[in-house]
Amino acid sequence: MSATISDTELKARHAGMWASGDYPSMVETFLLPLGPRLVAACGIGPGMRVLDVAAGTGNASIPAAEAGAEVTASDLTPELLDAGRARAEAAGLALDWAVADAEHLPFEDATFDVVISSIGAMFAPFHQAVADELVRVCRPGGTIGLLSWTPEGMIGALFRTMGPFAPPPPPGAQPPPLWGSEAHVRELFGDRVASLELIRRSYVERSPGDPAAYCEFFKQTFGPIVALRTQLVNEPERLAALDRDFLAFATRANEAPPDRPAEYRYEYLLVVARR
Ligand SMILES: C[S@@+](CC[C@H](N)C(=O)[O-])C[C@H]1O[C@@H](n2cnc3c(N)ncnc32)[C@H](O)[C@@H]1O
């Protein structure tokens, strides 16, 4: 990626990446436990004004609305918001859906009682800008709740597997799983939050098949992998090396015996801050 790329162009690329594949199907397969956990950890209840940042298809926004909150679900990728809106309508829930970059939220200061993000804001490249925006739109005394993959966990290892094949990130960009590091989160929020609770958790999900089937599922559904493989289409040797490294990673990370469907442990950091 060129060092001179504009922010608008960078974010358009990111939105295109997340719209590729089939993220709604990935959420349904093994990410659904996350949204309700974040909503419960933040004590979201009736009448609260909640902003979900990088909400995708509403994995956290929809349970927040089910809990009786007034929810705005925001995300960079309109296609995912459309899928979320359809899910919410099918459940008879009314939410606001807004296209928004986590680094430049289009909301006034102190608008929300609770600001949440489930494995979402971590994907915006400039972490301090995101942290500043989360604090800014949360009212004094309100709650900021985040759930992020850890660097040491399975998804952190997946990003390290992809890294050598990816184009260099723009100057100053930081890797997503850093948001799963306690020290990094403390530094980002500094003394602008009154309290900061940091808890590591994990859960195990059975995959649709063996490690090879797991890799195929990611190649079909997970935007960052779909986009990376598309970029490598004219470099067949590097593409083959990526696929090989990905399968080796999925084989190593499998916690189930060889004759059973693969099982993977997803570790995340749950952050609950009071402003
Ligand atoms: C792994 S998905 C998580 C979606 C949802 N929160 C969930 O729990 O399923 C990551 C999301 O981050 C969004 N995203 C990436 N960069 C963003 C940015 N700069 N601002 C807002 N959203 C962003 C993507 O569009 C995508 O919906």
Side-chain angles (χ1 to χ4, degrees):
M1 192 175 290
S2 142
T4 56
I5 184 173
S6 74
D7 193 57
T8 308
E9 194 186 343
L10 176 67
K11 300 301 167 50
R13 283 188 196 179
H14 287 179
M17 175 180 83
W18 285 103
S20 62
D22 184 0
Y23 186 71
S25 150
M26 169 160 277
V27 175
E28 299 291 328
T29 306
F30 55 81
L31 299 176
L32 280 182
L34 297 177
R37 287 182 193 192
L38 182 57
V39 168
C42 293
I44 291 175
M48 292 182 180
R49 295 161 304 165
V50 173
L51 174 66
D52 187 0
V53 176
T57 58
N59 195 14
S61 323
I62 290 176
E66 281 168 343
E70 292 169 24
V71 181
T72 300
S74 67
D75 197 279
L76 197 61
T77 309
E79 290 86 345
L80 297 185
L81 293 176
D82 289 345
R85 190 184 290 110
R87 261 186 80 202
E89 283 173 5
L93 295 166
L95 290 76
D96 287 332
W97 300 88
V99 176
D101 180 353
E103 295 168 4
H104 310 280
L105 292 171
F107 306 106
E108 298 293 323
D109 296 0
T111 302
F112 298 97
D113 300 306
V114 186
V115 180
I116 54 174
S117 189
S118 154
I119 54 165
M122 63 180 293
F123 289 102
F126 302 106
H127 295 190
Q128 192 62 61
V130 172
D132 292 350
E133 284 294 81
L134 300 177
V135 172
R136 182 184 67 77
V137 300
C138 183
R139 71 162 168 80
T143 301
I144 299 166
L146 306 171
L147 198 152
S148 309
W149 302 126
T150 64
E152 297 80 9
M154 148 105 187
I155 302 292
L158 169 62
F159 276 94
R160 281 194 297 283
T161 303
M162 292 164 60
F165 300 94
Q174 292 179 297
L178 252 191
W179 269 102
S181 146
E182 290 86 347
H184 186 63
V185 172
R186 282 187 206 287
E187 201 178 313
L188 289 174
F189 287 119
D191 59 6
R192 285 170 311 143
V193 292
S195 68
L196 190 58
E197 198 183 343
L198 303 163
I199 309 164
R200 277 190 189 223
R201 297 232 173 104
S202 67
Y203 66 106
V204 176
E205 284 279 317
R206 180 167 286 185
S207 104
D210 63 9
Y214 183 76
C215 290
E216 284 310 311
F217 181 73
F218 263 76
K219 288 180 203 170
Q220 299 299 321
T221 61
F222 189 53
I225 293 256
V226 175
L228 181 53
R229 295 187 77 254
T230 304
Q231 284 161 21
L232 295 175
V233 77
N234 293 323
E235 298 178 74
E237 284 175 15
R238 289 189 76 215
L239 180 58
L242 167 65
D243 286 349
R244 212 167 38 240
D245 287 2
F246 186 26
L247 179 57
F249 153 76
T251 304
R252 273 194 313 275
N254 175 21
E255 292 192 359
D259 55 333
R260 295 237 310 273
E263 289 179 1
Y264 294 102
R265 177 178 301 280
Y266 301 93
E267 186 187 61
Y268 58 86
L269 181 68
L270 182 61
V271 175
V272 180
R274 307 284 168 200
R275 198 191 149 192

